[in-house]
């Protein structure tokens, strides 16, 4: 048996063990990285460490640290109250507001993980406070990032269109963006219906009464509570910190993790006595889980498992079937690896398909691009990891299983639907 297949089998065994036994998958990932990488593949320990996702670790730690402070001092409650009044108490509109905000941010050039890092903490805390399904909120947020990620300004769109142009392949940047946006809206509507969004639309009256009660109060007691939950000096500084984070990440392109740590540090220095318990609020088990699995995937990449999967595409003779295979490889690999890096690799590998005159090149590239991006709901991608790290109101292991199951469904159906829509029908 080849080492590539051994690596895949070990990955599957890890998921089985992690599902049956109360063992953190991250621990399994680190141990498996050592055994498969060093014992079976002959890698040295430095190769294992090089697969550790340092950037993802800093992003998760930085964002969860900052928003642990934001949540502890009551600023999240303040923001969610404002947000509820903005939609006039209609809870069913909130996930769509998050979808649109994320789509707008990514369409103007923000990387998906940066947009999710900014919006997920607020969106999921909003969901917890008003009993909105966190899976519904999280999925619409991440799919929203896909909706805008293939614009002319976003790095995803720049990569795909740049590779197509460099190889003189027929391409249409505008159509790629439209295809991704339409598919994302379609997917979000399905998610919204399946996860109870229609029932959520009926909760408007109760939510409005709750918002009015919180804002105005109906008695002296409630007025005092409203005052307590209102805007204070420290909450104002915290809001300014969140705005600063957005500006640093979006306008100055500063790493979102370091920016969040910096803003969090300033807030901690301003009110040091309020920092007790902040670190304990951070989801360290989630951070261990994600970094352990991603480290193991880095080993799989080093030993050639990813190349092994992409090489299967070249062995498919029929261009239509090859396009379907490319879409599924894109979905499976991107669920664990960097979507940005994979897009840069898969488009050149699919060049023979794209050059075939019997098939639409823009249809093929749309299917591959969407398949590689929409699976970012996986808890092992940066976007999915940020959802997992910020979930409130449910146990992390429960949400992890829900997110993983959702990712499996999307990987199973998403690439096929994208292929059907853009290769067979539109193509």
């Amino acid at each position: 048996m080849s080492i590539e297949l051994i690596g895949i089998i070990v990955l599957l065994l890890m998921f089985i063990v992690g599902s049956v036994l109360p063992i953190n998958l991250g621990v399994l990932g680190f141990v498996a990285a050592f055994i498969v990488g060093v014992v079976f593949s002959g890698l040295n320990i430095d190769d294992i460490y090089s697969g550790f996702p340092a950037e993802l670790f800093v992003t998760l730690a930085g964002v969860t640290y900052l928003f642990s402070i934001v949540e502890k001092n009551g600023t999240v409650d303040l923001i969610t109250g404002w947000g509820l009044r903005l939609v006039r108490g209609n809870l069913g509109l909130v996930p769509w507001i998050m979808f649109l905000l994320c789509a707008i941010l990514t369409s103007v050039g923000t990387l998906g993980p940066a947009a999710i890092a900014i919006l997920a903490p607020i969106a999921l805390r909003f969901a917890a406070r008003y009993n909105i399904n966190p899976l519904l909120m999280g999925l619409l947020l991440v799919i929203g990032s896909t909706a805008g990620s293939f614009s002319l300004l976003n790095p995803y769109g720049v990569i795909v269109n740049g590779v197509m142009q460099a190889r003189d392949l027929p391409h249409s940047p505008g159509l790629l963006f439209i295809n991704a946006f339409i598919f994302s809206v379609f997917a979000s509507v399905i998610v919204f219906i399946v996860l109870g969004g229609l029932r959520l639309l009926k909760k408007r009256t109760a939510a409005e009464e709750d918002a009015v009660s919180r804002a105005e109060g109906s008695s002296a007691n409630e007025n005092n509570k409203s005052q307590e939950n209102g805007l204070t000096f420290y909450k104002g500084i915290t809001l300014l910190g969140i705005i600063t984070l957005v500006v640093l990440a979006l306008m100055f392109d500063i790493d979102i993790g370091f920016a969040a740590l910096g803003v969090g540090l300033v807030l901690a220095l301003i009110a040091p006595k309020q920092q007790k318990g902040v670190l304990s609020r951070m989801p360290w088990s989630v951070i261990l889980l994600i970094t352990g699995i991603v480290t193991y995937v880095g080993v799989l990449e080093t030993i050639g498992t990813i190349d092994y999967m992409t090489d299967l595409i070249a062995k498919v003779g029929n261009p239509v079937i090859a396009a379907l295979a490319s879409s599924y490889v894109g979905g499976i690999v991107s669920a664990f690896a960097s979507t940005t890096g994979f897009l840069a690799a898969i488009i050149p590998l699919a060049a023979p398909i794209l050059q075939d005159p019997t098939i639409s090149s823009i249809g093929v590239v749309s299917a591959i691009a969407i398949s590689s991006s929409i699976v970012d709901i996986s808890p092992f991608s940066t976007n999915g990891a940020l959802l997992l790290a910020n979930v409130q109101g449910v146990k992390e292991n429960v949400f992890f299983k829900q997110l993983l199951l959702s990712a499996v469904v999307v990987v199973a159906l998403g690439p096929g639907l994208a292929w059907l829509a853009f290769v067979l029908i539109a193509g």
Side-chain angles (χ1 to χ4, degrees), residues 281-329:
R281 288 171 175 258
M282 293 173 61
W284 292 110
S285 63
V286 171
I287 295 174
L288 175 63
L289 184 154
I290 300 301
T291 52
I293 292 294
V294 174
T295 299
Y296 179 67
V297 172
V299 169
L300 294 184
E301 192 168 4
T302 302
I303 65 178
T305 302
I306 307 300
D307 291 336
Y308 172 79
M309 295 181 66
T310 54
D311 285 345
L312 294 176
I313 300 172
K315 298 179 180 179
V316 181
N318 187 306
V320 176
I321 301 302
L324 178 61
S326 300
S327 298
Y328 270 102
V329 169

Side-chain angles (χ1 to χ4, degrees), residues 69 72-73 234 267-278:
I69 296 174
K72 190 174 186 294
N73 68 27
Y234 190 45
L267 292 176
L269 291 172
I270 291 174
K273 293 183 179 180
Q274 295 190 30
Q275 306 312 306
K276 184 179 180 180
V278 166

Side-chain angles (χ1 to χ4, degrees), residues 60-61 63-77 125 274-287 388-392 396:
L60 292 175
V63 170
T64 54
Y65 172 65
L66 171 61
F67 280 92
S68 290
I69 296 174
V70 174
E71 181 183 27
K72 190 174 186 294
N73 68 27
T75 306
V76 167
D77 291 338
R125 284 162 175 78
Q274 295 190 30
Q275 306 312 306
K276 184 179 180 180
V278 166
L279 290 178
S280 64
R281 288 171 175 258
M282 293 173 61
W284 292 110
S285 63
V286 171
I287 295 174
L388 186 59
N390 286 286
V391 67
Q392 303 284 309
E396 292 164 351

